[in-house]
Amino acid sequence: MTGMAIHAKGLEKRFGRNPALRGIDLSIPGGSRVALLGPNGAGKSTLLRLVAGLSRPTSGHLSIAGLGAGKPAARQKVGLIAHETFLYPHLTARENLLFAGRLLGVPELGARVDKLLEEADLRHVANRTAGSFSRGMAQRLSIARALVHDPAVLLLDEPFSGLDGRASAKLAERLSELRQDDRTLLIVTHDLSRVAQVADSALILLNGRIAREIRGAALTSESLETLYAESTEGSP
Amino acid sequence: MRVLAAVLWKDLVSEWRSRERVVAMLVFSLLVVVVFHFALPGGATARNASQAPGLLWVAYVFAALLGLNRAFSIELENDAISVLALAPVDRGWVFLGKFLANFLILGAVQIVVAVVFAVFFQLDFSGIVPQFAGIVALGSAGLCSVGTFFSAMAVRTRFREVMLPLLMIPPLLPVLAAAVEATVGLFTEGKVPPGSLQLLLVADGIYCIASFILFDYVLDG
Amino acid sequence: MTTAHANPSPGRALRVSGWILLALGLAFAILVYSAPIDSMQGVIQKILYVHVPSAFAAYLGFAITALFGILYLWRGEVRYDQVAHSSAEVGVVFCTLMIVSGPIWAKGTWGHWWVWDPRLTITLLLWFTYLAYLLLRSFTEGSERAARFAAVYGIVGVLEIPLNYYAIELFGEAAMHPDNLERDSLGDGMRWPFLISVLAGFAAFAYLLLLRVDLTRRRAILEEALLDD
């Protein structure tokens, strides 16, 4: 099915014997913002890595903007922000972005990098090595890195972990800015209080299956917490 | 090609800033040379020069093992290897970029070690420097292709320091045997036996092509 | 539902190969016992009946490992990896048997435990390669990654064989290995015992391989059952 930013059918991933995902059916239209929730080991990160093309499904179908996931052309469509920053400590902020841009074949890279540094509020430290950055700065640079090729789909894996209150508020703000572009966001998070701010709908994953879909008014933190507790009750 | 150049540039800039790999490899391989002096009866002298090519290659392999282990552990530091894996091209190009960077970094170390060897073992390099460089480049290409490929695997196992030599030495032996044979021929008779050159070329070719194709599976998460 | 259940009765093949092995093993014992004693080498020559079949079984094991490694990378199905892994383990057992039985014979016949004969050298390298293969598996976290890395290494392991052969041909010492098959140098009355011992070797290989694959599958089913609870 084309027209969908992310489309999965019967998606399975097992690590040898252990099933991490057992049959995911998913259709995320372009421009929507979806939060992926669930306890540890539910398969959230596995799903994200499959969408990013970092690993291959054991069976089932997965496409990104109509392109088979894992194919080079599909990797071009996604940006990934994880808990790890993916930065090279000996390269400067600018060089890290230049490197990512060259790998992705971004046209007019210099101007693009300047713009991203500006947006990330890192212009003044553009020539400092990433190794000297605070966690918050590194996270901002990491977001800029993921956006360097202006991807249609942005994947975020626990972006709030390890950030203090201020930095995490700033990140949430940055993420809501991103909604203005017609970009699809898929966010894995534990932080239920942020969901309403960064997403329009939420999927709860349990034991490798989608257990529940929540949208609209139910996304506010209190009702979300009740629903989440209901869905995950009795699971480890 | 774009990706190859980007990876090569990134690795060389990183290495230039830290210089950690070159320095560690250099100090270590010079130490190995000193150890050879004590291990040989009569020490490192012209009398033992016939053994020098073999020992030189042993020093090169040790240096390479040390450097190659670092080559991918720097990628793991912030899980930056994911950026390489996300590159929207055939991942073989990433391999070639890393391979070339390792080749150049090892080459810098090899030059210094060769000079020290020549001094310690009273080797006569006059008139054979280009041939010697050619042999070292061919041997080193095999060393770095096998090494780069397996180091991407080894760093993601437990016991990574032990795993790399265990993995890479058996496939490396033909390259090593041919390189030593060629170097001995050059120093004793002034010419390189053609069979060893052939073997070096064939082995380099096979390993580079296999690594280029199979690297896709190694870089997967 | 899973590949582990897809083949519910490896038991039958296992039983059949077990009976074949038993029959061939008996024939092997009788024939080797009654085979003539070599006039020059003495009774030690009978090591041949263990040594050569082990060699064949080991080579077969490594070839299967590479082949199923390729299949695994291509199709991504766990059962191919199970066969590749099992085959490498069984291959290493036979390779060890070959490497241990060889020097015992060599000490008696050549006067040295070890010579750097081409075939010995190659075999030693193969042994190291597949030990590295098994170590790689046990040191890699996550069985999916272990399977992928191992498949890749198994392929490289086969690629290095011709290169090593070529290297040893070029630089190694002269071959001392007897070419029993090519030169038809087996003595009178030795041919049948030899043939049966080779067949018994293959039967032993097949039986152990099936046993090992069966074990892996049972383990997979059990782990899955535990996980579902």
Side-chain angles (χ1 to χ4, degrees):
Chain A
M1 205 161 114
T2 48
M4 287 291 165
I6 303 172
H7 180 72
K9 192 149 183 58
L11 192 64
E12 277 192 34
K13 175 74 183 180
R14 47 184 72 241
F15 296 118
R17 295 145 194 153
N18 314 341
L21 295 178
R22 349 177 156 200
I24 299 274
D25 296 318
L26 191 63
S27 283
I28 299 179
S32 49
R33 305 182 306 159
V34 181
L36 271 180
L37 312 172
N40 288 331
K44 308 183 296 285
S45 294
T46 307
L47 180 56
L48 217 60
R49 294 183 73 82
L50 284 178
V51 174
L54 284 176
S55 63
R56 302 156 213 247
T58 311
S59 61
H61 168 83
L62 175 64
S63 62
I64 316 298
L67 303 160
K71 298 246 163 50
R75 291 204 287 261
Q76 180 91 53
K77 297 275 176 210
V78 297
L80 175 63
I81 299 165
H83 173 58
E84 298 277 3
T85 57
F86 300 175
L87 299 173
Y88 291 96
H90 292 299
L91 297 187
T92 65
R94 182 187 301 278
E95 286 166 346
N96 264 296
L97 296 184
L98 285 174
F99 176 60
R102 283 178 195 155
L103 287 185
L104 291 152
V106 176
E108 288 167 53
L109 186 57
R112 176 81 188 146
V113 166
D114 284 338
K115 180 164 174 276
L116 285 166
L117 284 168
E118 191 71 57
E119 284 173 5
D121 194 15
L122 291 169
R123 190 108 204 208
H124 57 294
V125 288
N127 294 320
R128 266 173 56 188
T129 53
S132 65
F133 278 16
S134 71
R135 172 89 191 132
M137 287 158 83
Q139 181 68 275
R140 263 153 43 217
L141 182 56
S142 176
I143 295 172
R145 183 208 32 82
L147 292 172
V148 73
H149 55 308
D150 197 14
V153 177
L154 188 62
L155 309 167
L156 299 100
D157 193 359
E158 303 283 2
F160 295 107
S161 69
L163 295 180
D164 58 26
R166 218 182 102 240
S168 117
K170 216 168 165 181
L171 172 62
E173 200 180 302
R174 180 89 177 89
L175 292 182
S176 20
E177 279 169 33
L178 289 175
R179 85 174 309 181
Q180 290 147 12
D181 318 331
D182 194 26
R183 208 187 309 277
T184 311
L185 262 63
L186 189 59
I187 307 168
V188 167
T189 183
H190 272 121
D191 195 345
L192 296 183
S193 64
R194 297 270 174 213
V195 170
Q197 198 180 350
V198 298
D200 309 317
S201 67
L203 296 169
I204 296 178
L205 240 65
L206 262 183
N207 288 326
R209 293 193 181 90
I210 294 176
R212 187 164 210 154
E213 190 175 351
I214 304 160
R215 45 177 72 248
L219 279 180
T220 57
S221 58
E222 300 91 64
S223 55
L224 185 59
E225 253 160 70
T226 324
L227 287 171
Y228 183 80
E230 259 173 43
S231 314
T232 57
E233 202 173 312
S235 83
Chain B
M1 272 318 267
R2 180 188 83 223
V3 168
L4 188 163
V7 172
L8 176 63
W9 168 82
K10 185 269 295 172
D11 267 16
L12 292 182
V13 170
S14 283
E15 181 55 34
W16 180 251
R17 296 259 161 78
S18 66
R19 293 189 196 88
E20 48 188 14
R21 261 205 279 168
V22 168
V23 172
M25 286 160 81
L26 203 57
V27 174
F28 182 68
S29 43
L30 293 181
L31 259 176
V32 169
V33 177
V34 175
V35 169
F36 287 153
H37 169 72
F38 289 105
L40 289 171
T45 55
R47 201 151 49 82
N48 283 320
S50 60
Q51 290 149 352
L55 296 176
L56 182 64
W57 277 100
V58 171
Y60 282 173
V61 170
F62 280 162
L65 281 173
L66 207 65
L68 290 165
N69 249 325
R70 272 306 283 165
F72 274 93
S73 38
I74 53 173
E75 301 290 346
L76 293 187
E77 218 154 297
N78 289 321
D79 197 22
I81 197 167
S82 296
V83 174
L84 299 182
L86 285 168
V89 290
D90 217 320
R91 286 168 178 164
W93 295 105
V94 174
F95 164 78
L96 285 181
K98 294 291 290 183
F99 159 76
L100 217 55
N102 288 331
F103 181 80
L104 292 176
I105 291 170
L106 180 63
V109 174
Q110 282 171 325
I111 292 170
V112 179
V113 174
V115 171
V116 172
F117 239 79
V119 173
F120 280 9
F121 281 88
Q122 296 151 33
L123 290 178
D124 186 12
F125 270 100
S126 53
I128 53 169
V129 170
Q131 291 98 313
F132 176 75
I135 295 169
V136 171
L138 281 177
S140 175
L143 188 57
C144 288
S145 63
V146 174
T148 305
F149 185 68
F150 288 134
S151 105
M153 277 193 202
V155 292
R156 287 187 287 167
T157 63
R158 280 172 280 144
F159 285 131
R160 55 172 84 153
E161 295 82 6
V162 186
M163 214 53 231
L164 181 61
L166 285 182
L167 291 177
M168 70 180 264
I169 289 178
L172 198 61
L173 277 168
V175 174
L176 215 54
V180 170
E181 200 71 11
T183 318
V184 169
L186 185 64
F187 276 110
T188 54
E189 290 154 36
K191 58 176 192 287
V192 181
S196 59
L197 275 189
Q198 253 171 35
L199 179 55
L200 274 174
L201 284 170
V202 171
D204 286 358
I206 289 181
Y207 286 146
C208 277
I209 292 168
S211 304
F212 186 92
I213 295 170
L214 292 171
F215 202 62
D216 199 26
Y217 298 103
V218 176
L219 217 53
D220 255 356
Chain C
M1 128 192 169
T2 68
T3 47
H5 300 291
N7 187 354
S9 66
R12 187 142 165 270
L14 193 59
R15 268 199 306 281
V16 171
S17 73
W19 285 112
I20 294 174
L21 174 62
L22 189 68
L24 282 170
L26 277 173
F28 169 78
I30 294 165
L31 281 169
V32 169
Y33 179 77
S34 60
I37 287 171
D38 191 275
S39 56
M40 309 227 329
Q41 301 174 18
V43 74
I44 204 167
Q45 181 267 342
K46 289 195 179 184
I47 282 180
L48 171 88
Y49 301 122
V50 175
H51 182 72
V52 177
S54 307
F56 288 166
Y59 292 147
L60 178 66
F62 299 151
I64 290 177
T65 296
L67 189 67
F68 278 80
I70 294 171
L71 281 173
Y72 174 73
L73 289 183
W74 183 30
R75 314 288 312 202
E77 287 174 32
V78 183
R79 62 199 165 108
Y80 294 127
D81 175 60
Q82 288 168 345
V83 175
H85 185 188
S86 307
S87 181
E89 265 183 25
V90 178
V92 165
V93 170
F94 280 101
C95 199
T96 309
L97 203 59
M98 162 167 56
I99 282 188
V100 171
S101 63
I104 298 173
W105 175 82
K107 179 69 180 161
T109 309
W110 293 340
H112 304 285
W113 293 107
W114 189 265
V115 291
W116 289 99
D117 164 88
R119 235 183 282 179
L120 256 73
T121 314
I122 285 282
T123 306
L124 188 66
L125 284 176
L126 267 184
W127 191 66
F128 278 124
T129 303
Y130 286 91
L131 279 183
Y133 173 96
L134 294 178
L135 283 174
L136 176 66
R137 294 202 75 113
S138 57
F139 287 158
T140 309
E141 314 270 355
S143 46
E144 193 255 351
R145 180 185 286 178
R148 198 152 28 81
F149 283 6
V152 168
Y153 197 69
I155 295 169
V156 177
V158 167
L159 286 181
E160 78 184 55
I161 294 175
L163 289 175
N164 272 318
Y165 233 106
Y166 188 29
I168 290 163
E169 290 275 294
L170 270 179
F171 318 121
E173 293 175 19
M176 293 180 76
H177 237 93
D179 292 323
N180 281 311
L181 300 173
E182 294 88 337
R183 294 196 203 139
D184 204 21
S185 68
L186 282 174
D188 279 342
M190 289 182 185
R191 202 158 310 155
W192 271 106
F194 181 72
L195 189 66
I196 290 298
S197 67
V198 169
L199 290 178
F202 282 134
F205 174 83
Y207 180 69
L208 287 175
L209 180 63
L210 288 169
L211 203 61
R212 186 65 184 80
V213 171
D214 188 43
L215 178 69
T216 315
R217 288 199 180 145
R218 279 167 198 272
R219 208 180 264 165
I221 293 169
L222 186 65
E223 273 180 27
E224 205 153 293
L226 287 174
L227 212 82
D228 277 343
D229 282 346

